[in-house]
Every structure is written in C-alpha cells, then in structure tokens.
C-alpha cells in the first residue's frame, strides 16, 4: 500500500511527459485542446491513462511479490518437511495420510512399504506402495536418486517382534530413524495441533509381550479411601507403585524407606501430582522392628505393600548377612507389625530368583515367601500375599540402565553369557498386576497360602536385549558398539523359572496372573529358622547362613565361591 503514491506520481509524470512529447511532434493538434470541452476531454483522458498505467505497474508488482512469497514459503516448508517411508498399508496408514492432508505436520510420506507383495504398485491417497520392508535398501537407493531420500521409517501399525526388529535393523544400517504411531486418537490430535504424530520405538515394543488391559474397578474398590503403607517407597518399583495407588484416591499413604534422598524425591513428586493427598514420609529401616511398630501404630494402615529388599544378585552374594537381615528379617518385621496392627492385607513383592534359587538373594526371598505363606495360613485375620515376577524394564536392578550407560560411553555392552535369558515386563505393568493380585486375593478367603505369579510371557535372551538397545539408539551391534561376554557371576542362573517343581500351578480369576500352591511350612518352624538366621547374620557367620538356607529352601545349594565359607573374625 505504501507504494501506491510513488507509482501514481510516476504514472502521472510519464503520461504528462508523453503528452508533451506527442504534442511537440504534432501528434496532438492544438485545435483539439483549444476549446473548453476539448481541454476537459484531454485532462480526463490523461488522468485515465495515468491511473491505468499505475494500476498496470502495481498489479505487475503485486503479482511478482506474490510469486516470490509463494516460492519462498514453499522453500521454507520444504526445508522443514521430514521425508518418511510408512510401513504397513493398513487402517493406520490410511488414517495418517488422511490426517496429513491440509495439515502443518512436518511428516512428508514419500512411499509406503507393505509385507504383502500384492500391494506393490498401488497408491493410497496419492502415496505409492513401493515394495516390502525386505527391499528397504533398494527402495531408499531409488528414492535417493530421485532426490527424495527418506530420513525416517514410521511404523503405522503394530508389528510382531520379528518384523519390528527386522525393520529397525535394516533402517539403522541405512542411517534412518525409526518411529511408530501412537493410538489413532492421539495421532489425530497431534496432527490437528500441527505436530508430528510419530514417536520413538521403545524397548518395551520389542521384548516380545503385549501389555495387559485391566478393569481397574477391583483396584479402586480396594484402595479408595484406605490408609496405605508402602515400604521401599523410594525405589524404582516402590515409587511407581505409590504413584499408581495415589491415582485411586486413598485416604493416606505412608512412604517408608531408609534412603533419605529417594524418600524425599518420591514425596515431592507425589505432592506435585496429588496436592490433596495426605502423605506421610517416614525414614525407617525395615530391619528395625521397634521403629516399624511405632510407624504402624502412628499410621494405622489398612493395606501394606512390602517392596523393600536387596535385589542385586552379585552384591548380596558378597554380603550374605546383609541379604538375610533385609530380605528375611526385614520382611518378618513388616509382617509382624502388620499382624499386630490388624491390617486388612499385606502384599510382598517377590522375584523369580526365589524359584529353585542358586543365589543368596534368591534364597532369602524364598524364605520371605515361606514366612508370609505361613502367616497367611496360620491365622484367620489379615491376608499375607506374595506377588512373584521377573525382571522389570528400567528398574534399579535391571540390565537396561546399565546398558544405557554403556551405550552412552561408547561400549562395550557387557553380557555375562550368550545363552542367559530373563523374563521382562514394564514397571507400570508390574505395579498394576501387584494391585490386581492384592484386590482379588483380599476378597478371596479360599486363596490363603497361594503365591501370585505374574504372566511374564516368553523369556528374552540378555544378548538380544543388548542388541535391540543398540539398534534403538541408531547404532549397529558389533560395528558401532561391541558386545562383550564376561562370564556368569556368582549366584546367577542362565535361565530363570516362575514356578518351583514342587508347586501346583493354578489358574487365577485375574487376567495375566497365575497362582502357585506349595506345601506350607508350620509357622513355629519358620519363625525358629528366621531367628537362627538373624543370629548368624548378626555374627557374620556366612558359612552357617548358607547351611541354614540350604536346609530351609529345597533345591538350594550353597555355591562354591570363597565368600560362602568365610567367617567373621
């Protein structure tokens, strides 16, 4: 708009100069403007020509500016676009392409890969199906030659473990990122906000098991309005457990942990998320029976979740007495305080390492199971339940944080044995299954003495977890990051089990949960054994501890490494 005046002035001067020039060469006779009517007509025509000329110049200028802006905007948009290949020509792919039309999303599909050979050559909303994921290398080379090299491969549908890993490995070899779509609803919402709907592939996506979907009504009925106490609340599992419990509206949660910083962290996180929740943080060691009784008397819990434990196999193997004092005596102290306080139920978090154990950690956790089982069948009051499961992705005892650090440091990733395998699940899923087991167990008086065993799916080799983690970081195993085998450590097994050979497996009414029933040890017998173990641990008599554990836990044999036979001076 600010250019109109200069253009109009220039046009008027141009027309005026033209008229003078034409008049000078005789093209405009003086007689045509000598009369009044002729002069007016001359001025009107001059003004008209000046306006027409200025309008022509302005329209040309506007059209040129518009074209320049259009080209510049297209260049800027093209620079921001992320060319991608979509995998799987299903409903998710169609919905994504429909949502991208007219959106500001940076995703720019340049082709589709599908596992069905019959789909090749077709188009979906203008995007061609170029072939199968097995042909990724050839397809990327062809697109690169056309100036359309993709930066990323997006999985538009859930694939099985083998397919997912194959796509990841091929993509990483070509230096392509791999991501997946969230649920269709989330994808549509993200596209609507102009954001990319693709999200990174996580390790949980490739551990070979689907996460269970639960009816949360039983948990809400169990937890809502109740006073809850959680031991080990500052740990990886305990902290997630209290956050899940808090979401069901309990009257109060007492956080018990012997680590000041961890306890403070989980307390602050809960305060930020649940401002109206009554929280009590008690710095307490489960080994201290008197302090525990004080905490129970003060907080009067309805439900107790006991997740405090020493969980690292080699560490406990080298410190047997500490394992006994925390895992066995600590569990006894919590259970006894719960019984004395008249709680509704106590749930102990156990491990698959308690099954036919070869480690001190596993044996101590099995004794803790036996003690809670004896209490459960030995009286008709509170329930004492045990929930047993395998490795939890991302927990403090998991290999995942170790591998993360090793990848960050450039490797190598250390794996004890190429055939070592473990069961895996996410922390969130483990916590939800713990609460489901508690909800159903607390309402079933006929289930006394059983151990709830979470369905862990199929075991996964640790070396495969290492390879998958390297791939998920966009690196190639054995090329960018090496994998080094270090040998089985004291107390470790190559393969873990979820059931003892002597246990009867029963189906549970809870999806994702099985139950194990074994012959219980009389309460008086297990109490005497725990007292003996506590005395031996206090005196540091490691050899005696091993003998007592072997007598108490069928199948356990003290491994022949030096720390087992050493006695305190």
């Amino acid at each position: 708009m600010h250019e109109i005046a200069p253009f109009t002035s220039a046009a008027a001067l141009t027309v005026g100069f033209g008229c003078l020039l034409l008049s000078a060469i005789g093209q405009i006779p003086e007689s045509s403007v000598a009369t009044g009517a002729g002069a007016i007509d001359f001025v009107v025509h001059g003004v008209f020509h000046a306006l027409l000329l200025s309008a022509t110049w302005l329209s040309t200028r506007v059209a040129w500016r518009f074209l320049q802006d259009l080209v510049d905007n297209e260049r800027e948009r093209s620079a921001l676009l992320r060319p991608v290949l979509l995998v799987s020509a299903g409903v998710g792919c169609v919905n994504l392409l429909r949502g991208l039309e007219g959106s500001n999303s940076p995703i720019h599909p340049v082709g589709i890969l599908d596992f069905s050979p019959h789909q090749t050559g077709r188009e979906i909303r203008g995007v061609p199906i170029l072939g199968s994921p097995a042909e990724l290398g050839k397809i990327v080379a062809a697109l690169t030659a056309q100036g359309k090299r993709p930066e990323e491969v997006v999985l538009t549908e859930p694939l099985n473990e083998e397919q997912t890993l194959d796509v990841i490995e091929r993509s990483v070899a070509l230096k392509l990122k791999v991501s997946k779509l969230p649920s269709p609803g989330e994808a549509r919402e993200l596209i609507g906000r102009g954001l990319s709907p693709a999200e990174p592939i996580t390790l949980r996506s490739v551990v070979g098991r689907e996460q269970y979907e639960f009816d949360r009504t039983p948990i809400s009925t169990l937890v809502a309005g109740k006073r809850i106490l959680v031991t080990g609340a500052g740990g990886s599992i305990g902290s997630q457990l209290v956050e899940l419990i808090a979401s069901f509206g309990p009257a109060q949660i007492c956080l018990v942990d012997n680590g000041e910083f961890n306890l403070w962290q989980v307390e602050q996180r809960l305060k930020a998320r649940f401002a109206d929740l009554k929280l009590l943080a008690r710095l307490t060691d489960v080994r201290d029976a008197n302090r525990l009784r004080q905490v129970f008397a003060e907080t009067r819990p309805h439900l107790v979740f006991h997740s405090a434990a020493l969980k690292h196999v080699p560490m406990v193997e080298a410190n047997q007495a500490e394992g006994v004092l925390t895992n066995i005596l600590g569990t006894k102290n919590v259970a006894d305080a719960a019984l004395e306080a008249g709680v509704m139920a106590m749930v102990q978090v156990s491990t698959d390492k308690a099954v036919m154990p070869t480690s001190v950690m596993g044996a101590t956790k099995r004794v803790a199971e036996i003690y809670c089982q004896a209490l459960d069948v030995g009286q008709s009051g509170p329930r004492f339940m045990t929930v047993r499961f395998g490795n939890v992705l991302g927990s403090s005892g998991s290999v995942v944080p170790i591998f993360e650090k090793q990848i960050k440091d450039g490797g190598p990733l250390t794996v004890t044995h190429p055939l070592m395998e473990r069961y895996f699940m996410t922390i969130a899923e483990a916590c939800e299954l713990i609460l489901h087991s508690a909800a159903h167990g607390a309402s079933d008086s006929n289930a006394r003495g059983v151990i709830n065993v979470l369905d862990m799916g199929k075991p996964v080799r640790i070396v495969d977890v290492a390879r998958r983690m390297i791939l998920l970081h966009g690196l190639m195993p054995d090329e960018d990051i090496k994998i080094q085998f270090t040998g089985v450590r004291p107390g470790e097994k190559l393969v873990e089990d979820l059931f003892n050979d002597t246990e009867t497996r029963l189906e549970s009414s809870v999806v994702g949960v099985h139950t194990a029933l074994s012959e219980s040890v009389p309460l008086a017998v297990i109490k005497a054994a725990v007292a003996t173990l506590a005395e031996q641990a206090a005196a540091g008599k490691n050899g005696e501890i091993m003998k007592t554990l072997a007598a108490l836990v069928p199948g356990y044999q003290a491994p022949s490494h030096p720390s087992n036979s050493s006695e305190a001076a």
Side-chain angles (χ1 to χ4, degrees):
M1 294 299 293
H2 67 277
E3 294 176 341
I4 289 178
F7 268 104
T8 304
S9 300
L13 288 173
T14 302
V15 171
F17 178 77
C19 289
L20 290 174
L21 181 62
L22 291 172
S23 178
I25 63 176
Q27 294 300 312
I28 302 177
E30 291 184 11
S31 59
S32 65
V33 296
T35 63
I40 293 173
D41 187 52
F42 181 79
V43 171
V44 169
H45 276 79
V47 170
F48 174 77
H49 280 86
L51 292 175
L52 183 62
L53 183 59
S54 64
T56 302
W57 284 349
L58 280 169
S59 60
T60 304
R61 177 72 168 175
V62 168
W64 177 249
R65 178 70 59 81
F66 176 79
L67 288 173
Q68 278 188 318
D69 290 347
L70 196 64
V71 170
D72 290 344
N73 289 340
E74 186 61 29
R75 284 175 179 169
E76 290 177 9
R77 183 174 179 275
S78 298
L80 294 173
L81 286 177
R82 192 164 73 249
V84 302
L85 278 171
L86 307 181
V87 176
S88 186
V91 176
C93 179
V94 174
N95 288 342
L96 173 64
L97 293 175
R98 185 183 292 121
L100 290 174
E101 292 172 356
S103 75
N104 294 321
S105 173
I107 284 185
H108 175 53
V110 294
I112 301 169
L113 307 179
D114 194 81
F115 292 94
S116 172
H118 306 296
Q119 297 276 38
T120 302
R122 293 180 53 207
E123 286 190 357
I124 298 179
R125 305 190 80 83
V127 181
I129 300 176
L130 302 175
S132 75
E135 302 172 290
L136 182 61
K138 182 178 70 175
I139 291 169
V140 168
L143 289 171
T144 302
Q146 301 169 26
K148 299 179 182 179
R149 190 182 198 281
E151 297 178 5
E152 189 171 348
V153 174
V154 179
L155 309 185
T156 63
E157 302 279 350
L159 306 179
N160 63 40
E161 180 187 3
E162 183 181 350
Q163 291 173 333
T164 302
L165 290 172
D166 181 65
V167 170
I168 290 173
E169 190 158 359
R170 292 178 186 277
S171 301
V172 169
L174 295 167
K175 307 300 182 186
L176 303 178
K177 290 172 58 180
V178 186
S179 59
K180 65 182 180 66
L181 291 186
S183 68
E186 292 175 310
R188 282 193 292 270
E189 180 185 348
L190 289 169
I191 292 172
R193 288 158 46 198
L195 302 175
S196 170
E199 59 184 27
I201 299 278
T202 61
L203 183 60
R204 184 181 68 81
S205 307
V206 289
V207 293
R209 60 189 309 277
E210 295 297 325
Q211 195 158 332
Y212 288 102
E213 297 291 335
F214 299 105
D215 173 16
R216 292 189 164 193
T217 304
I219 299 179
S220 180
T221 302
L222 175 74
V223 171
K226 302 293 195 312
R227 294 184 298 274
I228 314 292
L229 184 146
V230 180
T231 71
S236 49
I237 294 175
S239 60
Q240 290 262 352
L241 185 59
V242 293
E243 286 199 46
L244 181 57
I245 290 170
S247 68
F248 289 99
Q252 168 186 294
I253 298 181
C254 178
L255 311 171
V256 172
D257 203 284
N258 71 337
E260 179 188 17
F261 181 66
N262 287 348
L263 185 61
W264 175 81
Q265 275 192 316
V266 69
E267 180 190 30
Q268 296 305 306
R269 195 159 67 241
L270 286 171
K271 282 181 176 179
R273 285 194 59 193
F274 306 97
D276 297 330
L277 176 63
K278 184 178 180 181
L279 280 176
L280 303 172
R282 296 296 178 261
L283 198 58
T284 305
D285 193 330
V286 294
R287 299 178 179 190
D288 190 337
N290 290 331
R291 172 61 177 154
L292 274 177
R293 281 196 293 270
Q294 292 170 5
V295 171
F296 272 75
E298 174 197 0
T299 59
R300 298 176 296 113
H302 296 105
L303 298 167
V304 176
F305 293 89
H306 177 48
S307 68
L310 298 180
K311 306 180 180 75
H312 198 267
V313 169
M315 187 63 71
V316 177
E317 206 67 23
N319 298 273
Q320 298 98 320
E322 301 305 308
V324 168
L325 292 173
T326 296
N327 294 352
I328 297 177
L329 185 61
T331 299
K332 177 185 182 298
N333 291 340
V334 173
D336 290 350
L339 182 63
E340 185 179 320
V343 304
M344 288 173 49
M346 169 185 159
V347 181
Q348 176 194 201
V349 176
S350 190
T351 171
D352 57 357
K353 293 174 178 60
V355 178
M356 294 178 283
T358 58
S359 65
V360 178
M361 193 279 271
T364 56
K365 291 297 287 183
R366 176 58 189 148
V367 174
E369 287 184 355
I370 294 170
Y371 189 82
C372 287
Q373 183 185 35
L375 271 182
D376 198 32
V377 299
Q379 45 80 43
S380 58
R383 290 297 317 277
F384 291 87
M385 296 172 284
T386 294
V387 177
R388 181 194 290 166
F389 51 88
N391 285 35
V392 176
L393 291 171
S395 71
S396 59
S398 170
V399 296
V400 174
I402 298 171
F403 286 165
E404 286 282 0
K405 183 180 185 307
Q406 290 176 337
I407 291 172
K408 184 179 178 181
D409 293 342
L413 268 63
T414 54
V415 178
T416 53
H417 193 281
L419 298 181
M420 183 166 285
E421 58 183 38
R422 292 292 183 265
Y423 292 94
F424 285 96
M425 72 191 321
T426 65
I427 293 180
E429 188 177 14
C431 292
E432 190 148 355
L433 281 168
I434 289 169
L435 291 182
H436 265 282
S437 299
H440 285 267
S443 62
D444 186 0
S445 59
N446 295 322
R448 285 188 176 272
V450 302
I451 294 174
N452 293 297
V453 183
L454 306 188
D455 185 353
M456 302 292 296
K458 295 179 180 179
V460 181
R461 290 196 308 168
I462 301 297
V463 67
D464 290 338
V465 174
R467 287 178 56 83
R468 293 168 193 181
M469 288 191 65
I470 294 171
L471 288 169
L472 290 174
H473 282 77
L475 303 168
M476 286 298 291
D478 303 320
E479 295 179 16
D480 302 313
I481 298 284
K482 301 293 184 183
I483 296 176
Q484 177 181 333
F485 296 105
T486 58
V488 179
R489 296 172 297 182
E492 284 188 322
K493 291 191 290 186
L494 286 182
V495 180
E496 297 287 1
D497 299 287
L498 293 173
F499 297 91
N500 279 311
D501 291 339
T502 58
E503 290 175 335
T504 303
R505 305 184 192 188
L506 305 172
E507 289 301 320
S508 165
S509 59
V510 185
V511 176
V513 177
H514 305 284
T515 55
L517 181 61
S518 59
E519 186 176 347
S520 62
V521 176
L523 186 57
V525 173
I526 187 63
K527 278 192 171 184
V530 170
T532 299
L533 283 167
E535 290 175 3
Q536 293 167 345
K541 296 181 178 179
N542 293 334
E544 295 301 316
I545 288 173
M546 298 299 102
K547 292 177 184 178
T548 305
L549 287 174
L552 192 58
V553 180
Y556 173 68
Q557 292 182 350
S560 56
H561 54 84
S563 59
N564 281 337
S565 58
S566 62
E567 299 289 344

